[in-house]
Amino acid sequence: MKLAVLSESPADETALRGLIEAVLKITPAYVGPGFRARGWPNVAQVLPAVIRHLHFNTNADALVVVVDADDSVVHTPEHDEPGYFHPQCRMCQLRAVHRKTIKKFPPARGRERVLRVVGVAVPAIEAWYLAGRDHSVSEAAWIDGQASGRQPYSRAELKWRVYATDRPSLPHEIVCALREVERIRRDPRRLEHDFPGFAALATDLRAAQRESVK
Amino acid sequence: MRSITGVETHAAALLRHCHEAKCGHVGDVIASVAFRNFKALRRTQIELTPFNLVIGPNGSGKTSLIEALLTLRTLSRLPLADPAVVERQGGIEIEFRFDPPHDGIAAHLGCTSEAMCDLLRINPPEAPGWPGLQAELGQIRSYVLDHNALARTSLRDDGTRLHSDGSNLASVLARMREEKPDAFSAFTEEMLRLMPEFQGLELIEHADDRVEFALRLAEDGVVPAQEVSQGMLYLLGVLALAFDPHPATVLCIEEVDRGIHPRTLREVRDLLYRLSYPASFGSDRRPVQIIATTHSPYFIDLFRDHPEEVVISHKHGRAAQLSRLSDRLDLADLMKESTLGDMWFSGILGGVPEERS
């Protein structure tokens, strides 16, 4: 199985690789070097070109894309209804970009299309790192906060809880992320349970894994 | 806070509150600079934070801000002027305020022309803290790194502090290795992390007391400084500043992104943060106040979490105004729609060149 990763930083990519392996229980091959975007909405802007490149120029089975939700509308099961699309939901937006992009492509490199594996970290990837360690942090807590107008924590607070500073160096970010991912990968079910935005990524990954062995 | 411009912005108020509450950060030197009729900076002021990234079109006063600081450094070493003399100079004035413990002192530069500021007075005139502040102002340094200079062979004893163009980098590194081996070791470790194609830094001392450096490749062979790429030379210069065992109190660095790949800019920002926020990097040494300039949208993107560190120079005709990016009350909403760099380039944030219609 060969994957490509589109992320915002080397720290995110390192952590994602650990989480991918925790879900798949194998170490897949990766298209290198990893693809980068400069945060939202740059991810959505660069995504069609990345998909085109992967489809025609590589033998990647799937593209893994993870973005932070920030203050956007959080993806819910209602969004998964056939034909539903929420214009402020980043999961819906990224899936739509993928769908529209591959629609135009003929088969290439022996496969119909590059599969999509999309995750949205609510509100930021640091929340995933805290899964199972800080019980106040979950997607449900964030959604409740959005509804009440009082968020339980901010992105900056999450950074503090993970890195113990709001200005972590890149190596420090990687060390902290790997420490948490190492803990999470022993049993990623808690992360999947508390963060449906990660569960969606895990579901896509398993589907891509099944597809790749056909 | 009363200034020569008489203006206090929203960000200034926030920053003043921050200064008063200390915000857990001590060691800054310059609290604010106010300009009147100085080059493009006709009537504007800016509150300075520990880290300041100044952006704006060419000729909008970014370099003038740094020049003002260097003039303050120079004049602070000389006898103070008679207060009456400074007030007589044709309306060109620069006023500095300082952070604790020197917050009771104001310094005024008087100028005879836009190009000549040669008088300094302080208020109160006999401030007991002036000698201490003088010592701090003497440690303001400014850099416009030059890749040709950085690669130069230099005299073995050509100082422990990097020259403003980086021309004594080899001797600075040689002295660091000799006198501060721990700092040299940290420098080398970070250099090798950022430049994985190399496995070591070599310092070659010549019989005529000159020293040069070279980089040993991870595979095989040595790349002499003259053949090191421009971007890597700039990165070495920033690294030397970040690991300087005797850092400045205020460090100004122009075009900090020069020659460096966009993906490596995060590392450059982190190197500078290492100076201005040492506690975040596990160091208990005194912070260095930084004023950096850039024209790179990619570098600006890196300040999404700290827009209060970005200063925008807005140019209208020949006059420019400085403002904090965080002054934009709609900034949080704007950042939902685009990246900072793209918004700056588009003109939404201001700080772009004027165009003939």
Side-chain angles (χ1 to χ4, degrees):
Chain A
M1 183 179 195
K2 192 164 192 177
L3 299 176
V5 176
L6 172 60
S7 63
E8 292 184 25
S9 77
D12 288 2
E13 180 172 343
T14 303
L16 281 174
R17 287 187 178 208
L19 294 173
I20 288 166
E21 288 162 23
V23 170
L24 296 178
K25 303 193 189 320
I26 58 160
T27 302
Y30 290 98
V31 174
F35 299 98
R36 293 277 179 279
R38 297 176 292 117
W40 191 265
N42 183 250
V43 177
Q45 290 161 351
V46 77
L47 187 56
V50 172
I51 294 169
R52 173 179 285 274
H53 166 69
L54 290 172
H55 183 75
F56 291 109
N57 302 327
T58 75
N59 58 350
D61 294 301
L63 168 63
V64 180
V65 188
V66 173
V67 297
D68 290 348
D70 299 324
D71 296 317
S72 65
V73 171
V74 177
H75 192 79
T76 62
E78 291 74 45
H79 297 197
D80 288 327
E81 293 293 321
Y84 190 93
F85 169 79
H86 195 299
Q88 272 88 49
C89 165
R90 292 183 180 176
M91 181 80 79
C92 289
Q93 288 175 276
L94 291 173
R95 286 177 175 178
V97 169
H98 179 268
R99 194 166 49 243
K100 278 186 212 163
T101 306
I102 60 165
K103 201 173 163 183
K104 300 175 282 189
F105 295 161
R109 304 262 171 175
R111 37 102 159 105
E112 286 290 315
R113 64 192 186 283
V114 174
L115 300 170
R116 61 138 169 87
V117 177
V118 179
V120 176
V122 177
I125 200 164
E126 285 78 14
W128 286 4
Y129 299 160
L130 292 167
R133 175 155 86 81
D134 185 332
H135 301 298
S136 69
V137 179
S138 70
E139 208 167 296
W142 185 260
I143 292 171
D144 287 348
Q146 282 185 323
S148 67
R150 283 200 311 272
Q151 291 298 9
Y153 37 77
S154 65
R155 286 168 46 98
E157 284 166 350
L158 292 175
K159 279 184 184 286
W160 267 100
R161 292 183 201 183
V162 175
Y163 309 120
T165 170
D166 59 348
R167 290 178 178 79
S169 69
L170 193 51
H172 183 60
E173 261 190 45
I174 291 173
V175 165
C176 294
L178 284 178
R179 182 188 62 216
E180 302 302 342
V181 167
E182 195 55 38
R183 175 180 56 77
I184 290 166
R185 66 186 297 169
R186 284 182 223 130
D187 184 1
R189 287 177 298 178
R190 179 65 185 263
L191 178 57
E192 287 194 54
H193 178 267
D194 288 355
F195 291 91
F198 177 76
L201 176 123
T203 302
D204 283 353
L205 268 176
R206 291 181 187 118
Q209 189 176 31
R210 285 193 298 273
E211 190 85 9
S212 71
V213 295
K214 275 184 186 171
Chain B
M1 182 179 284
R2 190 172 172 276
S3 76
I4 58 173
T5 64
V7 176
E8 186 177 63
T9 61
H10 174 66
L14 286 174
L15 290 165
R16 179 169 48 76
H17 171 76
C18 189
H19 287 311
E20 286 164 5
K22 294 189 193 294
C23 290
H25 193 279
V26 293
D28 300 342
V29 178
I30 314 288
S32 69
V33 194
F35 297 90
R36 194 170 64 192
N37 298 328
F38 180 66
K39 300 188 176 179
L41 303 169
R42 314 304 297 177
R43 191 177 181 82
T44 189
Q45 75 163 55
I46 193 71
E47 310 282 321
L48 296 179
T49 55
F51 187 97
N52 307 270
L53 180 68
V54 189
I55 61 174
N58 303 113
S60 65
K62 302 186 295 296
T63 300
S64 300
L65 170 62
I66 292 172
E67 279 176 13
L69 292 168
L70 294 179
T71 305
L72 174 66
R73 176 191 69 182
T74 302
L75 295 182
S76 69
R77 294 168 176 162
L78 304 174
L80 290 168
D82 178 340
V85 173
V86 177
E87 285 167 3
R88 280 204 301 267
Q89 308 304 317
I92 302 172
E93 191 177 350
I94 306 170
E95 179 193 75
F96 297 88
R97 300 259 175 176
F98 304 97
D99 280 299
H102 305 297
D103 44 335
I105 303 175
H108 297 258
L109 291 185
C111 309
T112 53
S113 70
E114 286 189 342
M116 178 64 77
C117 296
D118 56 358
L119 293 167
L120 171 66
R121 71 176 167 87
I122 62 166
N123 191 24
E126 304 295 331
W130 175 242
L133 180 56
Q134 260 184 310
E136 294 194 2
L137 297 178
Q139 300 304 316
I140 295 173
R141 279 185 263 157
S142 174
Y143 290 90
V144 186
L145 295 175
D146 175 85
H147 61 275
N148 289 315
L150 285 158
R152 219 168 272 161
T153 300
S154 54
L155 280 171
R156 174 74 181 73
D157 294 323
D158 194 8
T160 55
R161 290 181 175 167
L162 198 62
H163 292 172
S164 62
D165 59 357
S167 57
N168 62 338
L169 177 62
S171 54
V172 164
L173 294 177
R175 291 283 289 270
M176 195 196 296
R177 181 178 64 175
E178 185 179 307
E179 295 170 9
K180 300 284 181 185
D182 289 348
F184 182 76
S185 173
F187 167 90
T188 309
E189 188 181 332
E190 187 71 348
M191 183 200 85
L192 297 179
R193 187 181 70 79
L194 295 178
M195 304 177 182
E197 61 269 57
F198 298 108
Q199 61 165 311
L201 172 79
E202 299 195 353
L203 289 158
I204 304 142
E205 303 202 15
H206 298 285
D208 62 353
D209 274 347
R210 289 184 174 272
V211 60
E212 65 179 310
F213 71 87
L215 300 178
R216 177 162 290 283
L217 286 161
E219 291 173 355
D220 195 21
V222 171
V223 181
Q226 300 289 345
E227 291 174 24
V228 172
S229 79
Q230 293 182 15
M232 285 182 178
L233 288 167
Y234 288 123
L235 198 51
L236 285 170
V238 176
L239 271 164
L241 294 173
F243 288 87
D244 184 350
H246 310 286
T249 50
V250 180
L251 177 69
C252 307
I253 180 162
E254 297 213 51
E255 301 298 343
V256 68
D257 58 280
R258 182 183 298 166
I260 293 173
H261 190 281
R263 282 201 187 188
T264 309
L265 292 177
R266 161 75 192 268
E267 302 282 8
V268 172
R269 186 202 68 178
D270 288 354
L271 286 170
L272 298 178
Y273 271 173
R274 171 185 291 275
L275 287 168
S276 52
Y277 297 98
S280 291
F281 293 78
S283 169
D284 59 0
R285 64 155 178 72
R286 183 189 164 133
V288 176
Q289 193 170 24
I290 289 184
I291 298 167
T293 71
T294 186
H295 286 106
S296 167
Y298 297 109
F299 197 65
I300 296 161
D301 280 340
L302 299 172
F303 293 83
R304 173 190 169 83
D305 288 340
H306 293 285
E308 75 280 4
E309 293 179 338
V310 179
V311 175
I312 305 181
S313 183
H314 308 267
K315 191 178 177 189
H316 306 285
R318 279 205 62 226
Q321 290 280 328
L322 301 171
S323 72
R324 285 269 161 201
L325 178 54
S326 48
D327 275 343
R328 286 287 298 242
L329 297 178
D330 59 348
L331 186 65
D333 289 330
L334 288 172
M335 286 201 295
K336 292 176 187 171
E337 309 294 343
S338 188
T339 61
L340 287 179
D342 284 348
M343 285 195 285
W344 175 57
F345 179 83
S346 73
I348 295 168
L349 304 179
V352 294
E354 292 184 300
E355 294 169 354
R356 284 187 197 280
S357 54

